[in-house]
Amino acid sequence: MSRPPDPKFLLRGDMDEDVHSLLFSINSDVEHLYAGDGKGTVHIWDLKTNRIKYQLSDGWSPCFNLHTTNETDLIVQRRHGVIDVYKISESKWILDRSTNYEFCSFCRSQLLSEKDAVLIPLDNSTVGILSLKTFKVESTLDPSKLSYNDKLGMVMAMKPLVDTNGLILVAYEGGKLLLWDMRKNDVLSSLTVEQYPMTFDFDASLMQGILGSASEKLETFEMSPNHTLSHKSTRLLEHVSGIATLSVRPDKKIVTAGCWDGRLMLFSWKKLRPLAILKEHRASIYDIVYSQCKVEAYDTKCLMAATGKGGYISMWDIYN
């Protein structure tokens, strides 16, 4: 492995010790990074000044995920089953709508932008599809009819697959990865993985995914043209007890694993060749995000941000 690079900057401010979620908002007018913390506050960082510009605080429950759409300005998922929607009006952020789907979970919600909906974890191994128009759960992915339903456990992680007409991957506590067809409410394929999967990511261009769990293993898997899931490889990571988050960079060249001990482990995406280990953080990583376009303030075409337990955010220009 090459010598690890240094972070471009560390964002430290009036944030809780636990920062759970990050989201870039980059366009011709603003270069912002949203950060949701353990006290329920969303901090909006201006990357041109590296200072907090706004703080949104309308709840005590930790902010587990953040989304933006063309219809609404900011969607916040809170750990205790709350979805808040904020709008900006005359440079002020206003809590526009809020709903409580009454299920407490560590699983992150996922945005279905084409459906104007959000995937949310529910009880009994079920995924709900929450409409952002009606703010009701309009449909569910319910595995109760599967022969192994009682062995699935809680929904741990999920991801809609880009450009695949309603296909969604869902990882379950008991060690199953299911490929759902949302249009038919049917399971197309299943794959046995490590128990307690914590995170996964999927690259639809290569039809390849990667999964991390409460263990030292990184698992890669593939999807065939007829939508069959299959195991590809397993990599054992030294001195790793668990992987909290995985993120494939938009250009599909590298994947970053955020570990429970605070390390950020970088691999080439196609062959999973180790590239570097970043040790700026000393406690568990909770989120890793990449900018989808160039960030002028940092003079990089793809900026990486990472955060977790410790109350700060590290900013990286990695192999660009």
Side-chain angles (χ1 to χ4, degrees):
M1 290 185 289
S2 61
R3 181 183 180 276
D6 294 323
K8 295 281 285 185
F9 203 84
L10 298 179
L11 301 179
R12 301 179 184 272
D14 185 23
M15 298 188 295
D16 182 56
E17 181 185 15
D18 294 314
V19 183
H20 292 283
S21 53
L22 298 172
L23 176 69
F24 278 110
S25 177
I26 309 294
N27 57 49
S28 58
D29 297 320
V30 299
E31 294 189 340
H32 287 169
L33 178 67
Y34 301 157
D37 74 12
K39 291 184 177 179
T41 301
V42 178
H43 308 264
I44 302 178
W45 288 85
D46 186 338
L47 298 181
K48 295 178 181 179
T49 62
N50 290 322
R51 296 180 181 274
I52 294 174
K53 190 168 186 177
Y54 305 103
Q55 289 178 312
L56 314 180
S57 183
D58 290 284
W60 54 271
S61 183
C63 303
F64 260 37
N65 216 359
L66 306 168
H67 312 284
T68 56
T69 72
N70 293 329
E71 301 293 329
T72 55
D73 292 279
L74 181 63
I75 302 164
V76 181
Q77 175 212 10
R78 301 185 184 277
R79 180 173 179 246
H80 293 82
V82 173
I83 295 285
D84 290 333
V85 178
Y86 291 87
K87 288 185 177 294
I88 192 166
S89 176
E90 297 179 354
S91 299
K92 293 183 180 179
W93 290 89
I94 299 170
L95 180 61
D96 182 61
R97 288 180 294 167
S98 183
T99 187
N100 189 342
Y101 55 89
E102 299 180 346
F103 184 67
C104 183
S105 170
F106 289 100
C107 178
R108 294 174 183 268
S109 60
Q110 296 292 322
L111 181 66
L112 291 171
S113 55
E114 72 280 3
K115 297 287 186 182
D116 202 14
V118 175
L119 297 175
I120 56 173
L122 297 175
D123 202 3
N124 300 317
S125 310
T126 300
V127 173
I129 301 169
L130 178 75
S131 168
L132 292 174
K133 294 179 180 178
T134 66
F135 250 43
K136 295 180 180 179
V137 176
E138 299 288 353
S139 58
T140 60
L141 304 178
D142 184 358
S144 59
K145 294 182 180 179
L146 300 176
S147 60
Y148 46 82
N149 168 59
D150 60 340
K151 298 179 180 180
L152 288 177
M154 292 179 62
V155 174
M156 300 292 287
M158 49 194 175
K159 185 176 181 66
L161 306 189
V162 178
D163 301 326
T164 55
N165 291 324
L167 299 188
I168 297 168
L169 281 169
V170 183
Y172 298 85
E173 178 184 14
K176 281 286 187 183
L177 182 67
L178 300 186
L179 176 64
W180 286 88
D181 186 334
M182 188 173 64
R183 299 163 301 174
K184 300 177 181 178
N185 196 9
D186 191 22
V187 174
L188 302 181
S189 183
S190 68
L191 183 66
T192 298
V193 297
E194 280 290 301
Q195 287 190 323
Y196 309 110
M198 305 300 296
T199 178
F200 70 87
D201 204 354
F202 188 81
D203 173 9
S205 65
L206 291 180
M207 299 299 274
Q208 173 178 295
I210 186 168
L211 182 143
S213 62
S215 76
E216 74 284 7
K217 296 179 182 179
L218 270 180
E219 298 179 78
T220 58
F221 59 94
E222 298 174 312
M223 184 190 301
S224 69
N226 66 352
H227 301 137
T228 299
L229 297 174
S230 61
H231 179 77
K232 184 178 180 182
S233 67
T234 298
R235 174 178 285 275
L236 297 179
L237 305 180
E238 293 184 5
H239 312 301
V240 170
S241 59
I243 300 161
T245 185
L246 287 162
S247 188
V248 178
R249 199 164 73 176
D251 63 5
K252 319 300 183 188
K253 291 184 178 180
I254 65 173
V255 58
T256 306
C259 303
W260 287 2
D261 63 2
R263 285 181 294 172
L264 294 162
M265 307 185 77
L266 277 63
F267 302 89
S268 65
W269 174 223
K270 290 185 178 180
K271 296 186 178 180
L272 221 62
R273 179 171 56 89
L275 299 176
I277 298 177
L278 312 179
K279 299 181 180 180
E280 188 61 44
H281 295 264
R282 297 293 182 265
S284 185
I285 301 295
Y286 293 151
D287 205 7
I288 299 167
V289 295
Y290 299 99
S291 65
Q292 298 295 315
C293 59
K294 183 176 182 178
V295 180
E296 295 288 350
Y298 279 70
D299 190 27
T300 178
K301 64 181 181 180
C302 185
L303 186 64
M304 185 180 86
T307 193
K309 192 173 184 65
Y312 62 95
I313 304 164
S314 58
M315 312 294 287
W316 305 85
D317 183 3
I318 302 290
Y319 304 132
N320 279 309

